[in-house]
Amino acid sequence: MKQTSQKISVPKATMKRYPIYLKALRKLQSNGVTRILSKELAEYCDIQATTIRRDFSFIGSLGKQGYGYDVDHIVNIFDDLLGTHYEEEIIMVGVGNLGKALLNYNRWGQVVGEIVCGFDSDPSKVGIINDIPIYHIDELEEKMPKHCRVAIITVPENVQDIVDRLVEAGIKGFVDFSHEHVLAPKGVIIKQVDIVSAIQELVFQSNNLD
Amino acid sequence: MKQTSQKISVPKATMKRYPIYLKALRKLQSNGVTRILSKELAEYCDIQATTIRRDFSFIGSLGKQGYGYDVDHIVNIFDDLLGTHYEEEIIMVGVGNLGKALLNYNRWGQVVGEIVCGFDSDPSKVGIINDIPIYHIDELEEKMPKHCRVAIITVPENVQDIVDRLVEAGIKGFVDFSHEHVLAPKGVIIKQVDIVSAIQELVFQSNNLD
DNA sequence: TTGTGTGAAAGTTTTCACAGCA
DNA sequence: TGCTGTGAAAACTTTCACACAA
């Protein structure tokens, strides 16, 4: 694992915003913006300027007083921080419609790393999709690169079994797209990207709005 | 819009946990569990018992002292609260692999409502998928049911244009699967379900762990 | 007796206010 | 002068500790 900077301590709430900043800054960069004030970025991201300044300050003194922030410079710093420069090798379990959709997303390289192979329990899925080899799930331990740390799970059911097996095989972080209830041991992180919960939250929020 | 209970004030942090509780409780229910203690649910969800009790207390006194919580009863209450009983009618914009994957997810009715129609800019997508009519995006204003409040966006680009147009048409809440930077006017909620950001957070977290 | 519901304490996050650098 | 970086205050969230209902 490449490790460019020493570990820094960042509040959880801040950590959730870093990807938002990187996303916004990349967009600005591609629009030719080379310099930005915390106030401008605040309006652009809908996050308070002072929150942005404090979030940035955990990494170091990135800005110039009376001037603002250099866009290229901080995009680079966030790229480092958020893994774009780590060339993370990711495996995918489940190659149905959702899995295929993610495999087709051909901008992985620019954002975080690449999907190196996929697994599915359906033998008819085995083969090559989008230049990425797909193996049968029975070959998981055998075909999975040994240093892989991150797995994307797109199967709808029995997610816990798959997580247990992958943890055993050395995976440390999961992105799970199911609406299942899953637990992982200490030191293993599961990010649930759960559309059903998102809609529930949405409906609840709008029903309880002013 | 059906509105069974009067509005209650719930902290944001709590609101994020309600879908987790409902998910867990449904699972327990389907396993035949009829009664549960905050302590047991705590272990099951990996959330402190006292946090759970306070979260529940915003809704009312759901439990019985010295006894615990009746699973059926609180599943019902959360169902009400989180929209399952609202029969939300949802539209989908973008019917590629990702859109199809979501349309195939045949458990919407149990969890939040149903997808009533889809739209795509590719004329070859127009037709019927999974019993759900798909129209050309040009027909959006015409074909979209007037009372729709929630839209799912699965297109990868130009999301801002689509959001603007849908807000104009009356949509109040979005679930957006893109990795784009998007803003919405006050009173409109956008939930970003963003796998790229999820992986970035994951990588950053594991690189900065212990 | 047992476990909920809740005041009060502790911890975290956001916001204010301004010193100090370019 | 104008904006960042940051102490200190305010707001929010979690956790503790225990009164009290069943």
Side-chain angles (χ1 to χ4, degrees):
Chain A
M1 180 193 335
K2 187 176 144 195
Q3 188 74 60
T4 47
S5 50
Q6 81 267 39
K7 286 166 174 65
I8 49 181
S9 166
V10 175
K12 284 195 193 101
T14 294
M15 212 146 72
K16 282 207 182 305
R17 284 186 296 262
Y18 281 165
I20 299 174
Y21 298 139
L22 178 54
K23 182 158 53 173
L25 289 163
R26 262 186 215 281
K27 180 90 174 194
L28 289 163
Q29 192 181 39
S30 79
N31 290 347
V33 178
T34 58
R35 169 189 161 185
I36 195 162
L37 308 182
S38 63
K39 205 171 131 194
E40 294 165 336
L41 189 57
E43 194 170 336
Y44 196 66
C45 295
D46 204 11
I47 295 172
Q48 290 287 320
T50 180
T51 302
I52 293 176
R53 291 206 300 278
R54 191 171 300 274
D55 283 350
F56 284 12
S57 78
F58 294 113
I59 303 169
S61 288
L62 307 184
K64 301 192 189 80
Q65 292 172 308
Y67 169 92
Y69 299 87
D70 186 79
V71 174
D72 288 352
H73 181 226
I74 47 177
V75 163
N76 251 290
I77 287 184
F78 275 113
D79 268 351
D80 247 355
L81 212 58
L82 297 182
T84 314
H85 292 170
Y86 285 98
E87 289 157 20
E88 203 59 50
E89 294 192 341
I90 302 162
I91 61 169
M92 172 170 290
V93 179
V95 193
N97 272 312
L98 177 56
K100 273 187 218 151
L102 298 174
L103 290 177
N104 277 326
Y105 183 76
N106 56 1
R107 274 164 288 192
W108 289 107
Q110 290 166 49
V111 286
V112 72
E114 65 171 330
I115 297 176
V116 289
C117 61
F119 297 92
D120 203 293
S121 59
D122 177 354
S124 76
K125 296 273 167 53
V126 171
I128 307 269
I129 296 179
N130 239 54
D131 293 331
I132 295 160
I134 312 298
Y135 306 110
H136 192 270
I137 185 75
D138 287 347
E139 299 187 281
L140 178 77
E141 287 77 5
E142 197 182 324
K143 291 292 177 23
M144 186 188 113
K146 288 295 160 282
H147 54 278
C148 266
R149 297 187 307 154
V150 176
I152 298 173
I153 300 181
T154 67
V155 301
E157 284 174 327
N158 298 112
V159 176
Q160 186 70 64
D161 292 349
I162 290 167
V163 167
D164 291 346
R165 190 163 163 194
L166 288 169
V167 167
E168 188 68 32
I171 297 293
K172 296 289 181 212
F174 295 88
V175 178
D176 167 29
F177 279 86
S178 79
H179 184 62
E180 294 254 295
H181 167 80
V182 188
L183 285 181
K186 271 248 178 309
V188 175
I189 302 165
I190 299 189
K191 294 269 171 226
Q192 295 250 154
V193 177
D194 179 347
I195 189 197
V196 169
S197 295
I199 297 179
Q200 286 176 345
E201 239 187 280
L202 199 62
V203 171
F204 179 63
Q205 249 180 67
S206 28
N207 282 330
N208 286 282
L209 222 61
D210 54 335
Chain B
M1 175 192 344
K2 188 176 142 194
Q3 190 72 60
T4 48
S5 49
Q6 82 267 40
K7 288 167 172 65
I8 49 180
S9 167
V10 175
K12 284 199 191 96
T14 294
M15 212 146 72
K16 281 207 183 307
R17 286 187 294 263
Y18 281 165
I20 299 173
Y21 298 139
L22 178 54
K23 181 156 54 172
L25 288 164
R26 263 185 214 282
K27 181 90 173 193
L28 289 164
Q29 193 181 40
S30 78
N31 290 346
V33 178
T34 58
R35 170 189 161 185
I36 194 163
L37 308 182
S38 62
K39 205 171 132 192
E40 294 165 337
L41 188 57
E43 194 170 335
Y44 195 66
C45 295
D46 205 11
I47 295 173
Q48 290 287 318
T50 181
T51 302
I52 293 176
R53 292 206 301 276
R54 191 171 299 275
D55 283 349
F56 284 13
S57 78
F58 293 114
I59 303 169
S61 288
L62 306 184
K64 300 190 189 81
Q65 293 177 309
Y67 169 91
Y69 299 87
D70 186 79
V71 175
D72 288 352
H73 180 227
I74 48 177
V75 164
N76 251 290
I77 286 182
F78 275 113
D79 268 350
D80 246 354
L81 210 60
L82 296 182
T84 315
H85 292 170
Y86 286 98
E87 289 157 18
E88 202 62 47
E89 293 193 341
I90 302 162
I91 61 170
M92 172 171 289
V93 179
V95 193
N97 272 311
L98 177 55
K100 274 187 217 150
L102 298 174
L103 290 176
N104 278 325
Y105 182 77
N106 56 1
R107 274 164 288 191
W108 289 106
Q110 291 163 50
V111 286
V112 74
E114 65 170 328
I115 297 177
V116 288
C117 61
F119 298 92
D120 204 293
S121 60
D122 177 353
S124 75
K125 295 272 167 56
V126 171
I128 307 268
I129 296 178
N130 240 54
D131 293 330
I132 295 160
I134 311 298
Y135 306 110
H136 192 270
I137 186 75
D138 288 348
E139 300 186 280
L140 179 77
E141 287 77 5
E142 195 181 326
K143 291 291 179 19
M144 186 188 114
K146 289 293 160 282
H147 54 279
C148 265
R149 299 187 306 153
V150 176
I152 298 174
I153 299 181
T154 67
V155 302
E157 283 174 331
N158 297 113
V159 176
Q160 186 70 63
D161 292 348
I162 291 167
V163 167
D164 292 345
R165 191 163 163 194
L166 288 170
V167 168
E168 189 67 32
I171 296 292
K172 296 289 180 211
F174 294 88
V175 179
D176 167 30
F177 280 85
S178 79
H179 184 63
E180 294 253 296
H181 167 80
V182 189
L183 284 181
K186 271 250 179 309
V188 175
I189 303 165
I190 299 189
K191 293 269 170 226
Q192 295 250 154
V193 177
D194 178 347
I195 189 196
V196 168
S197 295
I199 297 178
Q200 287 176 345
E201 238 187 280
L202 198 62
V203 171
F204 179 64
Q205 249 181 66
S206 32
N207 282 331
N208 286 283
L209 222 59
D210 55 339

